[in-house]
Amino acid sequence: MSTRLFGHVKGAFTGAILERKGAFREANSGMLFLDEIGDMDLAMQAKILRALQERVVTPVGGKPQKVDVRIVAATHRDLEQWVKQGRFREDLFYRLNVVPIELQPLRKRTADILPLAEHFLAMASSPKKQLSDEAAQQLAGHAWPGNVRELRNAMERVAVLCRSDIVAASDLNFLSSSPAPNAEEENGDDGHLSSAVERLERRLIAEALAESKGNRAEAARRLGIHRQLLHTKAEKYGLGKRKSPP
């Protein structure tokens, strides 16, 4: 399921929303993030809508106060379908749906996996650990049903349990319990689709390496993938020796 982000400029809030006394007044002239807004019940949605329309907060036991706040709201729900089903207010949906940004699941954004993994691993480990090529390949091939949160938790687990400065593929064996969903549908029962994808992938990598004169860092930039992933796939397809950037 994709994630949707909604932005609304110059919103306002009531002090009762999310039961955080003073949180919305503190966000005045700033930004407030509302996570999983699609899971809020209709009564809470009505409070948010009223606050957005009036641009006023009412502290408990206090007087109404005007505020100027930018809202960023996120949900993994399909709010347009929920509106049709009567589970989300249509007026609130259009209030929030000013600048929608749809994010695909992490498994469909393979170019993001390794940079995020390295970032989370660097944050969680001291001294800094690094991913081996085999570990990078295993991360890139995982389905990530839990998306970025699962990836972050995996890197934090590796940072604690891996004793070496280099993370091996065996350190990620716990990921094997989460196979890719609908693998038969995606790959085809006879493997023909998988073979076609590999042929296309090999050709694109070969072309990028040729255009960059063997410079893998440049080839990775042209392809929009991480250099470690390119290195792993180049070795898999036997596409020349690694050359250092000039």
Side-chain angles (χ1 to χ4, degrees), residues 17 23 28 63 72 78 86 90-91 95 112 116 122 130 133 137 144 178 181 194 205 215 223 227 229 240:
I17 300 173
N28 190 32
K63 297 181 179 180
V72 176
D78 185 341
E90 184 177 22
D91 44 8
R95 274 283 185 177
D112 293 343
L116 286 172
Q130 296 182 342
D133 290 341
Q137 184 175 12
W144 301 111
S178 300
S194 177
I205 292 175
N215 186 321
L223 292 168
R227 54 180 176 77
L229 179 59

Side-chain angles (χ1 to χ4, degrees), residues 154-235:
M155 293 301 96
E156 291 177 350
R157 175 172 175 173
V158 165
V160 173
L161 299 180
C162 178
R163 297 183 178 181
S164 172
D165 291 338
I166 304 298
V167 178
S170 58
D171 295 316
L172 299 168
N173 285 341
F174 61 90
L175 294 176
S176 61
S177 61
S178 300
N182 301 323
E184 291 185 359
E185 294 181 9
E186 293 182 4
N187 297 327
D189 293 336
D190 55 6
H192 290 173
L193 179 57
S194 177
S195 298
V197 170
E198 288 187 358
R199 289 194 299 271
L200 176 60
E201 186 175 64
R202 187 184 190 284
R203 179 174 64 81
L204 292 175
I205 292 175
E207 290 176 355
L209 287 170
E211 292 172 357
S212 62
K213 299 181 180 179
N215 186 321
R216 293 193 176 186
E218 174 63 18
R221 187 190 67 79
R222 289 171 178 262
L223 292 168
I225 63 176
H226 195 269
R227 54 180 176 77
Q228 282 188 297
L229 179 59
L230 175 66
H231 172 71
T232 300
K233 290 186 176 295
E235 294 298 320

Side-chain angles (χ1 to χ4, degrees), residues 91-103:
D91 44 8
L92 178 58
F93 172 75
Y94 287 114
R95 274 283 185 177
L96 293 172
N97 193 26
V98 177
V99 183
I101 303 174
E102 186 168 349
L103 298 179

Side-chain angles (χ1 to χ4, degrees), residues 5 15 18 20 24 32 41-42 44 47 49 55 100 129 131 138 162 168 177 187 189 194 205 216 221 223 238 242:
L5 301 178
L18 301 183
R20 293 177 58 188
F24 307 105
L32 185 65
D41 59 34
L42 292 174
M44 183 65 71
K47 293 179 180 180
L49 177 63
R55 300 183 181 182
K129 299 182 185 297
L131 298 169
Q138 187 162 342
C162 178
S177 61
N187 297 327
D189 293 336
S194 177
I205 292 175
R216 293 193 176 186
R221 187 190 67 79
L223 292 168
R242 184 169 187 165

